[in-house]
Amino acid sequence: MPKRPNWRAVKIHRNYTMEEAARALGVAKGTLARWIKSGDLPALTDHRPFLILGKDLQEFAARRKKVKQSCNLAECYCFTCRAPREAAGKIADYWQASAKTGHLEALCGTCNRLMHKRFSLACLPEMRAVLDLTIRQAPRPIGKCR
Ligand SMILES: [Zn+2]
């Protein structure tokens, strides 16, 4: 089963039973029942089998679709805030991670937790223009530590 509901598979001019709706979205029947019970997903529950209008199902699935958040150059994704955040004081540590990528470490401007970001070395000059970068030595791989 796919992990992400496929709302494009839902036809708006069709009615779905619980089984059909679960199959169309690629979720378990229990998940669907929970959505109906919580009132998030409207359904016709007066008679069995319960029916879900295709239009309702599609609107619900589209609402649940997560919006991908991308960071701009001066931002890192903060896992604590669950959003792109600017580095505190626009200060970040940088080291070269590989021949083509750099690694950025900064404190979140909102919650002060550590954030990380990988980026292409081609972006380094632009990155330097927006952030105060401190260049560090790359940490040694764990396997080579003594
Ligand atoms: Zn944060």
Side-chain angles (χ1 to χ4, degrees):
M1 263 189 202
K3 283 186 178 172
R4 214 176 291 170
N6 182 10
W7 61 277
R8 284 194 178 96
V10 176
K11 308 281 181 255
I12 58 169
H13 297 295
R14 234 194 99 179
N15 298 330
Y16 290 83
T17 63
M18 297 272 287
E19 290 81 11
E20 291 167 340
R23 206 174 318 126
L25 293 183
V27 297
K29 238 178 87 178
T31 303
L32 206 72
R34 196 163 26 83
W35 290 341
I36 291 171
K37 196 176 176 187
S38 69
D40 292 339
L41 175 62
L44 309 173
T45 55
D46 304 342
H47 305 284
R48 291 202 181 257
F50 293 171
L51 285 179
I52 302 152
L53 303 178
K55 195 173 144 261
D56 289 343
L57 191 58
Q58 195 178 56
E59 280 172 9
F60 173 78
R63 256 198 330 266
R64 282 188 58 87
K65 195 178 138 207
K66 287 193 177 148
V67 179
K68 189 178 177 191
Q69 300 175 326
S70 54
C71 303
N72 70 30
L73 215 55
E75 291 176 331
C76 292
Y77 187 83
C78 175
F79 284 100
T80 307
C81 299
R82 294 176 182 268
R85 296 284 190 225
E86 280 203 5
K90 297 205 182 258
I91 299 169
D93 285 355
Y94 155 83
W95 65 84
Q96 190 166 343
S98 71
K100 288 183 178 175
T101 61
H103 185 101
L104 200 76
E105 204 174 74
L107 290 177
C108 171
T110 307
C111 70
N112 261 347
R113 297 279 177 103
L114 209 53
M115 309 185 291
H116 301 271
K117 179 180 182 172
R118 287 258 176 164
F119 62 95
S120 165
L121 282 184
C123 299
L124 189 58
E126 299 168 58
M127 197 78 89
R128 280 191 144 147
V130 290
L131 287 173
D132 181 9
L133 292 181
T134 305
I135 293 160
R136 288 197 348 211
Q137 199 87 55
R140 284 185 300 175
I142 291 170
K144 290 180 183 171
C145 289
R146 274 219 132 191

